[in-house]
Every structure is written in C-alpha cells, then in structure tokens.
Amino acid sequence: MDNSSNHPMRLETRHATGAEEWLCDTCGRRFVLQLPPAYKKIVLVRGDENVSHTGGTGGLRIESARPTPKHDDDISNDDLSLWRDGLADIDLT
C-alpha cells in the first residue's frame, strides 16, 4: 500500500439507478455511493484505510474532513437560539 496521506478517488461508473461507483487507483479502494435522498455507501474493497481519500464531480470536490471538537462554552447564544428555534417545531415524542 502507498503511505502518502491522500489518495485521489475517481468516478468509475454511474449506474442506471443513480448510484456511483468510485475507485482509488493508488490502493484499490472501491465503493458504491447512493446519493440522497436515500444516501448509502457500500465499500466493495477496503484498500488503504489509513489514508484520506478525496474526489468529486461537477466542480464539487470532497476533501478529507477532520472535525474539531467544540466545547459547550464555545457555543454562542446565537448558535443555541437557532437550534432551539428549529427544534421547537419538531415533535420529538
């Protein structure tokens, strides 16, 4: 396997169902991606799971995402009010 930190993925096939089959030429990773509204990802070949995989189509490019944790004291009242307002209209029972 290649040890570089980033492998480019390419769209190999777009199936009649709309599902897309993606391939990494570097490590052989292969998966099928069904886009929303019924999002689903099926990994066919794992390839190198220790590197980031990137790719995209139509001007949109997905890069490796590394979320950073946010502490409760970092959340502003404005952020919280948006969530409260949005959740107020949802019946969670």
Side-chain angles (χ1 to χ4, degrees):
M1 300 278 169
D2 181 88
N3 288 330
S4 66
S5 62
N6 188 331
H7 290 182
M9 301 282 297
R10 66 176 173 84
L11 177 60
E12 184 174 61
T13 307
R14 186 170 278 130
H15 298 279
T17 62
E20 298 177 346
E21 192 166 336
W22 289 82
L23 172 67
C24 174
D25 291 320
T26 307
C27 70
R29 181 173 179 80
R30 179 184 297 268
F31 59 81
V32 175
L33 182 64
Q34 178 65 51
L35 299 173
Y39 176 83
K40 189 174 187 179
K41 180 173 138 184
I42 301 168
V43 177
L44 303 173
V45 178
R46 291 181 187 270
D48 188 345
E49 294 182 309
N50 295 311
V51 299
S52 298
H53 287 87
T54 62
T57 62
L60 176 65
R61 182 156 188 84
I62 304 298
E63 298 289 337
S64 172
R66 288 187 170 67
T68 55
K70 194 169 191 181
H71 302 288
D72 288 341
D73 57 347
D74 291 342
I75 299 173
S76 72
N77 284 331
D78 291 337
D79 290 339
L80 288 175
S81 67
L82 291 172
W83 279 98
R84 283 188 197 113
D85 292 347
L87 290 172
D89 297 331
I90 300 173
D91 181 14
L92 298 174
T93 59

